[in-house]
């Protein structure tokens, strides 16, 4: 519809322009034809010949008259004119031309609007052309002046183009006038016919060009865009985006091909991002599951972190805390009474990550608790637990458990403990500061079957304090990679104990110090802390 409307507007505009140009060109061409016809007649019949013929009596003209009319008819027909005539101007007694003429010969076309051609020597008047003829006779000019439209300014017999050519005698006197005319209707029909032909051919050329243009647009623009759009819809409709095949069917070497390439890049980026998100979602789901299991395992192997731990006892005080992290080294802290006189404090940490390491720690903690209930000493508990863990078929041989097993005789104040791969025990005696106990380097539990462990003994007095920590406390790292260190841990505890007596407050300030040191760095391991005070 739009194309048809466009073609109609173009046709009307083009036709008007061509008609205007064709009319002007036709008018100039007609003037040249009229002049050529008049001069051709003059070349055959000079003024003297015409004078001789006009002076002959009509009954004596005979064949000569017919020859002249035949010549005029040939010129009229050959040049496409409507009238060709030879006039003799009539002068008054003063020799002035006043518009009267005598028609000597007159040839008129059949469809011309004149009724009949003038007869030999029939008189007439040129009317409005008389003044122009008088100027031509006086100046001996060759044609009438043109008006602004390019036509002959004075029409001789109504709506017609007329050309008047003066035929002189040898002495220069204008004796006759050759008049050639063509009707305005014929000129208009010629201009219209020419314009229509030009418009028709122009429309044909425009139509062919438009069809070629449409063909190229359809081939290089519309079809590639439709194919790319269909490919995009398939990609959008594929909820998984796992079967995406890059679109390579466009080779237009332009913006459309560039758009297809950019879409391929975008689709591949979306696909990669989707897979990454799905992988991350699966990982997060696994982490949530691991976290649930971790909570359950931790709840089963660690004592409930309450303060005071044993509110019914006044012969000792105990406060413990664990800060948990996910998927890192698993710490646990367990304390229990085997009887009214013996307290066990067990703090440990897995070497490894994930559920297998947690399960290994849970197994180690369970074995320690069972062997302690059987009345075993810390040394024998460490040996038996080590053998049990070494008998397991572990997926990763590097998975072991670091443990500090402490047994306190609440009546005598005797402390027996085994430290297997754990930080030194910190002891604060009455009136002194915290100092780390010398502890020999020993294997972790579950690292090698049949190894022996060293059991150490400390005699506690009233008011003495003990601090047990997991490896994650002195090994805590900050943004720059520096570690908290055992020396800083000892100094911090001395600073805290100098102004704080309550154990829960001491644990809180120690953990606050650890958090401040770590800053924005993610924690690498759990941190387990237990503070014990002996009253005796």
């Amino acid at each position: 519809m739009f194309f048809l409307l466009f073609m109609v507007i173009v046709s009307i505009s083009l036709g008007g322009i061509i008609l205007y140009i064709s009319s002007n060109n036709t008018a100039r061409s007609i003037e040249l034809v009229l002049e050529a016809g008049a001069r051709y007649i003059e070349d055959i019949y000079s003024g003297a010949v015409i004078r001789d013929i006009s002076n002959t009596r009509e009954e004596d003209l005979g064949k000569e008259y017919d020859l002249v009319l035949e010549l005029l008819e040939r010129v009229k027909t050959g040049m496409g004119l409507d009238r060709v005539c030879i006039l003799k101007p009539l002068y008054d007694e003063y020799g002035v031309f006043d518009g009267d003429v005598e028609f000597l010969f007159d040839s008129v076309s059949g469809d011309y609007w004149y009724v009949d051609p003038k007869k030999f020597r029939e008189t007439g008047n040129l009317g409005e052309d008389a003044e122009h003829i008088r100027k031509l006779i006086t100046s001996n000019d060759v044609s009438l002046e043109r008006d602004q439209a390019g036509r002959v300014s004075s029409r001789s017999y109504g709506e017609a183009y007329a050309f008047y050519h003066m035929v002189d005698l040898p002495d220069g006197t204008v004796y006759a006038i050759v008049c050639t005319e063509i009707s305005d209707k014929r000129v208009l029909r010629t201009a219209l016919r020419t314009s229509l032909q030009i418009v028709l051919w122009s429309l044909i050329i425009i139509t062919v060009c438009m069809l070629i243009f449409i063909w190229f647009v359809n081939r290089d623009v519309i079809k590639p865009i439709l194919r790319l759009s269909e490919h995009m819809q398939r990609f959008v409709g594929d909820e998984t985006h796992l079967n995406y095949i890059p679109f390579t069917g466009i080779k237009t070497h332009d913006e459309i091909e560039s758009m297809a390439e950019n879409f391929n890049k975008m689709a591949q980026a979306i696909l990669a991002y989707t897979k990454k998100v799905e992988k991350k979602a699966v990982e997060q789901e696994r982490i949530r599951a691991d976290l649930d299991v971790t909570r359950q395992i931790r709840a089963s192997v660690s004592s409930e972190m309450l303060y005071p731990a044993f509110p019914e006892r006044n012969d000792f005080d105990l406060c413990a805390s664990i800060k948990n992290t996910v998927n890192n080294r698993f710490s646990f802290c367990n304390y229990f009474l085997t009887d009214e006189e013996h307290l066990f404090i067990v703090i440990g940490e897995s070497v490894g990550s994930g559920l297998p390491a947690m399960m290994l720690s849970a197994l180690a903690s369970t074995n320690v608790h069972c062997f302690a209930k059987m009345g075993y000493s810390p040394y024998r508990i460490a040996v038996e637990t080590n053998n049990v863990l070494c008998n397991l078929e572990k997926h990763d041989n590097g998975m072991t458990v670091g443990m500090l097993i402490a047994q306190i005789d609440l009546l005598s104040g005797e402390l027996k403990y085994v430290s297997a791969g754990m930080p030194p025990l910190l002891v604060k005696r009455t009136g002194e500061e915290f100092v780390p106990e010398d502890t020999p380097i020993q294997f972790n539990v579950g690292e090698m079957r049949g190894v022996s462990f060293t059991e150490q003994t400390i005699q506690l007095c009233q008011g003495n304090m003990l601090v047990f920590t997991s490896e994650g406390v002195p090994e805590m790292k900050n943004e720059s990679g520096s570690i908290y260190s055992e020396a800083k841990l000892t100094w911090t505890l001395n600073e805290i104990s100098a102004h704080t007596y309550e154990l829960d407050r001491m644990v809180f300030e120690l953990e606050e110090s650890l958090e401040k040191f770590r800053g924005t760095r993610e924690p690498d391991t759990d941190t387990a802390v237990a503070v014990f005070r002996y009253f005796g």
Side-chain angles (χ1 to χ4, degrees), residues 41 179 181 220 226 245 307 311 332 365 375 380 420 436 444 481 511:
I41 294 173
C179 176
E181 295 181 6
D220 295 339
L226 290 177
I245 300 176
Y307 182 77
F332 61 91
S365 177
R380 187 174 180 185
N444 284 4
E511 290 178 339

Side-chain angles (χ1 to χ4, degrees), residues 516-532:
K516 184 177 180 180
F517 175 81
R518 180 170 60 85
T520 58
R521 181 188 176 98
E522 290 294 325
D524 298 319
T525 62
D526 294 356
T527 57
V529 179
V531 181
F532 173 82

